[in-house]
Structures are given as C-alpha cells and as structure tokens.
Amino acid sequence: MKRTIILLFCLTGWLAGQTQEARAMNPFLYDEFQQGQVFFTEGDPVDVKINFNILDRDMQFINPKDNDQVLFLVRDPNITHIEIGYDIFVLVDREWALVVQYGPLSLLRTMRPAPERPRGPYGVVLTTSGAQELSHLNMSSLSFALSAGSGFGSSSGGATVSAAAYSQPLRALPVREGFRIETAYWLTRDFQTYRPATRRNFLRLCPKISPQVGEFLSQHRVNFSDMEELSALVRFSNFLLRSSSIE
C-alpha cells in the first residue's frame, strides 16, 4: 500500500512552471512584460509591468513615466517576494528564484546563462578560444527611488522601489542568440532558510519524516537535477508533513 501511494505521488499532480530549457533565444523569461506586484515587509504592494532577464539575472520593469524605458529592480532586502501572474519569485542568495512547488516544503529554481561555445559542421562544439562572453547592456549611473509621491508605489507611501535605468530604450533591447540556461534547485521550509536540493538537505529539512523520505530515496533513483522528479518528491514529502501535523 505504501509503495502504491509513493508511485501515485510520482505520477500525478500538476507541475507548476516550465521544464528546464537547453537553449534560449529570448533573454527574457516571458515573451512580453507582464503585470506584476512587488511585495515589501511594510507598506502596500507596488503594481508594475515586469519581466525577468535571464542574461542579466535581473528583474526589469517599465518606467511608468516613460513606457519606452526599462529599469532594473534593485535587490532591496525589504522586498519579500514578487508575483507575476501565478508565478512567485523570492530572493535566494541574492538571486531571483521561481517557486516551482509550494507547501510546508517548497521547491525553487534559479536560472542563469551559460556561454554557448561555437559550433562547427554538424553541430560539433569547437574547442577554440573564440567563444564570446555574454555581454550586458550598458547601464547609466542614474539611480533613484520611485515612490507614491512620484506617482508610482504604495498608496500609503510605505513602500518604494529602487531602480536604475538602462541607457538603451525598450525598443532597442537586442535579442541574443546562442546561450544555454543553467538551472539550480533549492529547498525551503516556510521560506525561512534556503538549501540546495540534495538528498542530505531533504532529510535535514524534514527530520520528522526523514525515515519515510529516506526509504523513498533508497527505493527510487531520484535525479536531483530533474524538476519533475524533484517536484514529485516534494509533493510526497508535503503529504507526509501534513499527515503528521494532523495526528
């Protein structure tokens, strides 16, 4: 019966987010800037049209005073999270992480670019030193805070968004080619501490159910680099955590 329940959790459940991309052409996670909200430890959330730039590893948003200007969001420690549609982002080790699986134990992923080495005939990777590094957009030295007083921010004035402006307008942002996306997965209990998604950390973060999780891991070869397999393990762990809290 126990093995049937384990198998059921491995095969069922809706998987939030996207599978890991091998390559990408668009530097942004979303095809277009999306309506989102920035949440703070104090004050009301700030509405903003926002997108995640994988190449620059920054949250970027449209200047509400100039729809043709892109700003990048400063990693303010007072920011608790960002919501873009149904997606939730939090800061993990000063990097934006997407919440893939939510619960008492949550799974998150970070995305960063990796240079694509040049390829020759038939797609063979060349070993020459001519690979170009991924370049960032030139940034101006402009730095400022947008708040309720300037027409952008919380109605109570308790929250501000710190930003810096790119020197290039939105219409001039280039579409890059030939980069891979490296994905790292993280675990958190109630968004208090964050640890890499490893066998050891699964057991450390769930000591109350570590015997059952350990048995699961002994019986199944879990690929800790695969989002689907990790999500199944997190769903199974959350089922046990919720069941143990009821008892």
Side-chain angles (χ1 to χ4, degrees), residues 46-169:
V46 174
D47 295 323
V48 63
K49 293 194 70 172
I50 196 167
N51 208 334
F52 178 64
N53 189 316
I54 301 172
L55 279 179
D56 290 320
R57 295 155 59 190
D58 280 322
M59 283 291 179
Q60 299 175 7
F61 62 96
I62 303 298
N63 186 348
K65 293 185 176 181
D66 182 357
N67 289 330
D68 197 36
Q69 186 182 39
V70 178
L71 309 174
F72 85 91
L73 185 67
V74 174
R75 295 176 178 85
D76 190 326
N78 293 319
I79 294 177
T80 60
H81 66 284
I82 295 174
E83 294 183 6
I84 305 177
Y86 293 106
D87 293 337
I88 299 175
F89 293 83
V90 297
L91 280 171
V92 177
D93 196 23
R94 294 193 57 79
E95 293 215 31
W96 292 108
L98 172 65
V99 179
V100 175
Q101 194 78 29
Y102 178 79
L105 179 69
S106 296
L107 177 67
L108 306 91
R109 71 166 178 164
T110 56
M111 295 160 281
R112 61 170 55 191
E116 187 83 320
R117 287 189 291 175
R119 295 177 179 269
Y122 307 106
V124 177
V125 175
L126 301 179
T127 58
T128 63
S129 59
Q132 294 183 346
E133 293 293 328
L134 295 172
S135 61
H136 292 254
L137 295 174
N138 294 325
M139 295 189 61
S140 69
S141 59
L142 176 63
S143 182
F144 57 94
L146 299 173
S147 65
S150 61
F152 178 68
S154 79
S155 56
S156 63
T160 61
V161 173
S162 297
Y166 278 116
S167 59
Q168 298 188 36

Side-chain angles (χ1 to χ4, degrees), residues 21-60:
E21 300 92 343
R23 294 186 65 189
M25 302 292 287
N26 186 352
F28 290 99
L29 180 62
Y30 306 102
D31 290 336
E32 298 178 352
F33 279 73
Q34 306 290 316
Q35 194 65 41
Q37 289 186 307
V38 182
F39 290 79
F40 300 85
T41 53
E42 296 182 359
D44 298 330
V46 174
D47 295 323
V48 63
K49 293 194 70 172
I50 196 167
N51 208 334
F52 178 64
N53 189 316
I54 301 172
L55 279 179
D56 290 320
R57 295 155 59 190
D58 280 322
M59 283 291 179
Q60 299 175 7

Side-chain angles (χ1 to χ4, degrees), residues 193-207:
T193 58
Y194 300 90
R195 300 184 185 276
T198 63
R199 176 191 176 97
R200 180 183 180 186
N201 286 331
F202 262 100
L203 299 177
R204 289 177 64 184
L205 289 172
C206 306

Side-chain angles (χ1 to χ4, degrees), residues 163-198:
Y166 278 116
S167 59
Q168 298 188 36
L170 175 61
R171 63 175 179 271
L173 290 179
V175 176
R176 312 296 174 82
E177 296 182 2
F179 72 94
R180 293 180 297 105
I181 299 175
E182 290 183 345
T183 302
Y185 296 99
W186 300 78
L187 301 170
T188 181
R189 283 295 302 271
D190 302 319
F191 296 90
Q192 299 298 316
T193 58
Y194 300 90
R195 300 184 185 276
T198 63

